[in-house]
């Protein structure tokens, strides 16, 4: 920021992420917000994935994940991700006069439709013929209540914590967490088959092992899983915990067994 100002540039926007897509990291919004104010920048918080934790009283009390977000100028949240609201349901929240702010910047000035009613949302969106997706969030909230949605988050966190523990317990059998502890609901790990356990680190192609196993397991029909790339490290398995119907010991431990079984069956050249 200092460098920009010294060069005569004008920083005007900071994006902080609450829950990154791959690993689930939370930026220190509190500290970033101080800089944003100091430099008169618009502070946006991308809470598309992690913003929904706002419904959990436990998270708000025990973690600093959303701390500072109350001074954000805009905040995005996708209830279709963590809260189980049917696709799609994305929102952009602001403490500013949202209807005026969005209308001012997005309006198409369709005078044949809009006649200056400041609460007419049609003026504030890029496309005016869209479903009122917020109604789905409204109904979900009515049905489950804040407590119900908070419980959903708490349960996902408990399952994620338990599953990452199960992965760690298998470290002597070739499982290795990418980051320990896992920052959020994504359990990211590598698996090294026993036939390769003795290879020097430099000869291990973990990306190839991950991708080969990923393909084999998905083709087997036993599980449908994903893997992720991340700059600087080999590709890894990425299991995202969300659905309350998934149980760690009943469902997810079987996935670890499945990875091991295929890892032992494949003839690694
Ligand atoms: C999913 C996701 C997005 C994309 O959200 P859309 O509403 O589909 O554009 C943006 N940021 C993060 C951190 C996400 O996880």
């Amino acid at each position: 920021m200092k460098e920009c100002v010294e060069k005569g540039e004008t920083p005007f926007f900071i994006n902080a992420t609450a829950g990154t897509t791959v690993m689930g990291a939370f930026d220190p919004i509190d500290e970033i917000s101080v800089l944003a104010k100091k430099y008169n920048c618009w502070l946006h918080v991308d809470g598309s994935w992690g913003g929904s934790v706002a419904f959990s009283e436990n998270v708000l009390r025990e973690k600093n994940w959303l701390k500072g977000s109350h001074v954000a100028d805009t905040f995005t949240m996708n209830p279709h991700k963590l809260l189980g609201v049917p696709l799609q349901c994305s929102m952009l929240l602001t403490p500013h006069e949202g209807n005026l702010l969005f209308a001012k910047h997005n309006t198409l000035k369709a005078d044949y439709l809009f006649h200056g009613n400041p609460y007419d949302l049609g003026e504030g969106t890029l496309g005016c013929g869209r479903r009122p997706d917020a109604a789905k969030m409204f109904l979900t909230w009515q049905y489950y209540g804040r407590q119900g949605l908070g419980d959903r988050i708490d349960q996902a966190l408990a399952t994620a914590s338990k599953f990452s523990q199960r992965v760690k317990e298998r470290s002597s059998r070739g499982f290795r967490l990418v980051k320990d502890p896992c920052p959020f609901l994504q359990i990211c790990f590598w698996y090294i088959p026993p036939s390769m356990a003795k290879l020097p680190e430099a000869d291990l192609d973990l990306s190839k092992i991950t991708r080969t196993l990923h393909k084999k397991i998905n083709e087997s029909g036993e599980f449908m899983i994903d893997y992720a790339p991340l700059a600087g490290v080999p590709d890894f398995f990425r299991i995202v915990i969300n659905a309350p119907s998934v149980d760690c010991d009943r469902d997810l431990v079987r996935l670890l067994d499945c990875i091991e079984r295929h890892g032992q069956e494949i003839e690694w050249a």
Side-chain angles (χ1 to χ4, degrees):
M1 298 287 268
K2 261 196 193 138
E3 258 178 55
C4 286
V5 174
E6 276 162 18
K7 277 195 283 184
E9 296 169 349
T10 309
F12 65 96
F13 178 88
I14 299 179
N15 178 95
T17 304
T20 57
T21 311
V22 174
M23 294 295 295
F26 285 78
D27 281 334
I29 302 170
D30 213 17
E31 291 161 46
I32 292 172
S33 70
V34 175
L35 278 179
K37 294 290 152 197
K38 183 170 164 197
Y39 288 92
N40 203 21
C41 286
W42 189 274
L43 177 62
H44 175 69
V45 174
D46 179 356
S48 301
W49 169 232
S52 298
V53 298
F55 283 91
S56 164
E57 309 254 12
N58 289 330
V59 167
L60 297 185
R61 198 174 46 244
E62 290 161 21
K63 315 269 187 193
N64 59 3
W65 290 343
L66 296 183
K67 194 155 173 255
S69 61
H70 61 289
V71 300
D73 294 289
T74 40
F75 188 104
T76 44
M77 185 176 139
N78 286 358
H80 67 229
K81 290 187 173 177
L82 255 181
L83 300 181
V85 176
L87 272 168
Q88 73 182 44
C89 183
S90 302
M91 44 180 77
L92 181 60
L93 307 169
T94 179
H96 302 292
E97 281 194 83
N99 53 333
L100 301 181
L101 178 74
F102 298 140
K104 182 173 158 206
H105 296 284
N106 293 332
T107 185
L108 294 169
K109 299 212 165 51
D111 297 334
Y112 54 91
L113 284 175
F114 307 121
H115 308 294
N117 174 355
Y119 293 100
D120 197 329
L121 295 177
E123 287 248 73
T125 51
L126 291 171
C128 82
R130 296 292 180 277
R131 302 190 301 189
D133 287 319
K136 292 185 291 193
M137 181 60 202
F138 172 76
L139 291 171
T140 301
W141 198 336
Q142 283 288 308
Y143 185 79
Y144 291 103
R146 177 172 186 184
Q147 178 81 44
L149 295 175
D151 289 349
R152 183 185 164 103
I153 303 282
D154 293 347
Q155 192 189 331
L157 284 165
T159 305
S161 159
K162 200 165 167 188
F163 184 52
S164 72
Q165 196 55 39
R166 295 288 176 268
V167 174
K168 273 175 77 167
E169 284 163 11
R170 296 193 187 209
S171 61
S172 62
R173 288 151 71 173
F175 289 88
R176 197 187 288 174
L177 285 174
V178 176
K179 183 134 180 62
D180 181 17
C182 300
F184 193 34
L185 295 171
Q186 295 97 304
I187 315 303
C188 301
F189 60 90
W190 293 287
Y191 173 68
I192 304 159
S195 59
M196 292 195 215
K198 296 234 156 50
L199 285 181
E201 198 85 0
D203 293 343
L204 266 181
D205 189 346
L206 286 174
S207 289
K208 190 177 155 206
I209 297 173
T210 302
R211 283 193 236 139
T212 306
L213 276 167
H214 164 261
K215 188 162 181 282
K216 191 95 200 279
I217 290 168
N218 283 356
E219 281 172 1
S220 79
E222 289 167 82
F223 282 93
M224 192 167 167
I225 54 167
D226 203 6
Y227 72 90
L230 191 67
V233 294
D235 298 351
F236 46 80
F237 293 104
R238 172 174 169 273
I239 310 301
V240 186
I241 309 297
N242 179 7
S245 53
V246 170
D247 182 83
C248 177
D249 287 331
R250 185 192 63 208
D251 309 311
L252 297 173
V253 163
R254 277 177 45 231
L255 170 63
L256 300 181
D257 294 339
C258 178
I259 291 174
E260 276 191 66
R261 180 159 35 78
H262 285 288
Q264 285 161 22
E265 280 169 9
I266 293 171
E267 303 240 358
W268 300 96

